[in-house]
């Protein structure tokens, strides 16, 4: 089976063609640098994503605080991570880069505030 994708590791945006058989990658074509091949292999076998979302925050100018993962999360764990994020309710003040959830879902990934919010009473 052949799968096509666009590499996003650099501005070249190479058109990749990956030959897959029995969950094994036989070849990667179309990449102009080694990062394209590595990207294709990881995207097929172990896809990950940086996750951004918001959490509820009280006593702040806005009712939601934007958050981001400290590193990419396995794609198949995104729903579990979102369930944990949706349980969080914070109270201002919160500062950018504060850890909101430490080691979410045991993935060695933190959920971090991506902006500051001062307390408003």
């Amino acid at each position: 089976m052949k799968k096509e994708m666009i590499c996003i590791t650099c501005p070249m945006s190479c058109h990749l063609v990956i030959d897959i058989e029995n969950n094994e990658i036989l070849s990667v074509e179309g990449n102009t640098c080694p990062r394209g091949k590595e990207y294709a292999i990881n995207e097929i076998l172990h896809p990950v994503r940086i996750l951004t979302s918001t959490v509820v925050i009280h006593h702040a100018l806005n009712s939601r605080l934007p958050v981001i993962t400290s590193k990419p999360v396995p794609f198949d764990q995104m729903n579990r991570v979102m369930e944990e994020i949706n349980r969080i309710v914070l109270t201002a003040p919160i500062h950018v880069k504060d850890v909101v959830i430490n080691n979410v879902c045991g993935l060695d990934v933190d959920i971090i505030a991506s902006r500051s919010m001062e307390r408003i009473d």
Side-chain angles (χ1 to χ4, degrees):
M1 172 176 83
K2 294 207 184 270
K3 181 165 175 92
E4 297 182 20
M5 66 177 60
I6 304 296
C7 180
I8 61 170
T9 59
C10 77
M12 295 286 294
S13 299
C14 296
H15 184 261
L16 306 175
V17 178
I18 304 97
D19 191 10
I20 307 165
E21 187 176 303
N22 296 327
N23 257 358
E24 288 188 40
I25 296 179
L26 302 176
S27 67
V28 176
E29 298 174 352
N31 55 302
T32 56
C33 73
R35 291 185 301 167
K37 182 176 182 179
E38 181 181 351
Y39 170 78
I41 291 169
N42 288 334
E43 187 64 17
I44 297 293
L45 299 179
H46 307 287
V48 294
R49 299 288 186 276
I50 292 288
L51 176 63
T52 61
S53 187
T54 60
V55 296
V56 172
I57 187 167
H58 295 295
H59 301 288
L61 179 62
N62 300 316
S63 61
R64 309 277 307 175
L65 172 77
V67 295
I68 189 167
T69 54
S70 60
K71 58 186 177 182
V73 173
F75 193 75
D76 63 354
Q77 298 296 311
M78 299 288 265
N79 287 338
R80 283 184 57 221
V81 171
M82 279 306 303
E83 287 171 5
E84 292 301 313
I85 288 173
N86 289 335
R87 288 187 180 110
I88 296 299
V89 177
L90 301 174
T91 302
I94 297 290
H95 300 95
V96 67
K97 298 184 182 177
D98 281 354
V99 174
V100 174
I101 305 174
N102 186 40
N103 192 24
V104 67
C105 299
L107 296 171
D108 194 30
V109 174
D110 297 331
I111 305 301
I112 299 172
S114 57
R115 74 169 284 188
S116 297
M117 285 207 195
E118 298 304 318
R119 183 175 178 90
I120 297 176
D121 289 312

